[in-house]
Amino acid sequence: MRNAYLPKSRELSNKLRMWWFLSWFAWCNLTFSVSAELIGLNYYESTLSRELSLEENNHDSLLLPFNKTRIPGSIESEQIQEFLASHFTALNGNWSIESDVFEENGFTFTNMVFSLGNAESPLILAAHYDSKILPEGFIGGMDSAAPCAILLYIAKFVDTILQKDEFLLDPLLLDRFSGLKIVFFDGEEAINQWAADDSIYGARHLASKWET
């Protein structure tokens, strides 16, 4: 008679094992999600207001250095290029730095490309760092100083996460992309009048370069 109950006992035991495994798996995923979210929230709370601030004499600000004109080929533009390079050089990850320098329409343009990981199928984030020539003194806070500062902030956050545990990044990102490229385009603004051949100089040049 005892043998008659063995199959059911084994079936129950297998169900209990499966239930335990699924519970453990769900708990691990929940713990992983909560850990990643807490790390992100802690990072934002401790850095966001300081690093994206326009407070004077704030040496941690990623936005303040852009608070100037950034006309292609100007001294101010070169200062921004140096600031971008120094930011990525100071990070912990093995970021590569590429300067794409070219001349067109009487101006010298410099795209800045910062890469991390395998370049085979990277996620590309980009903004332009130049400002309009006219009106004179135009800084372009939203177009595009703030987006540039946000990209620097993202780079620093990703770099910090990777130092802790790369699997804290969204698995969808890890599955779809082999690396990260952050691009700062020069010459997005028109020199004279916006047209197909007088705009997005940096984006057009880099796209052409990457296609070949």
Side-chain angles (χ1 to χ4, degrees), residues 80-117:
I80 292 298
Q81 294 164 29
E82 291 172 4
F83 170 66
L84 293 173
S86 65
H87 176 82
F88 283 90
T89 301
L91 298 179
N92 294 308
N94 188 25
W95 292 85
S96 66
I97 302 175
E98 175 191 351
S99 294
D100 174 37
V101 184
F102 63 99
E103 292 186 5
E104 189 176 344
N105 203 6
F107 282 80
T108 299
F109 301 96
T110 304
N111 293 321
M112 303 287 289
V113 183
F114 302 91
S115 306
L116 182 67

Side-chain angles (χ1 to χ4, degrees), residues 24-36:
W24 172 82
F25 184 77
W27 171 253
C28 287
N29 276 275
L30 178 61
T31 303
F32 168 83
S33 300
V34 170
S35 297

Side-chain angles (χ1 to χ4, degrees), residues 113-131:
V113 183
F114 302 91
S115 306
L116 182 67
N118 193 317
E120 186 177 335
S121 57
L123 170 65
I124 301 175
L125 304 176
H128 74 92
Y129 69 90
D130 63 301
S131 60

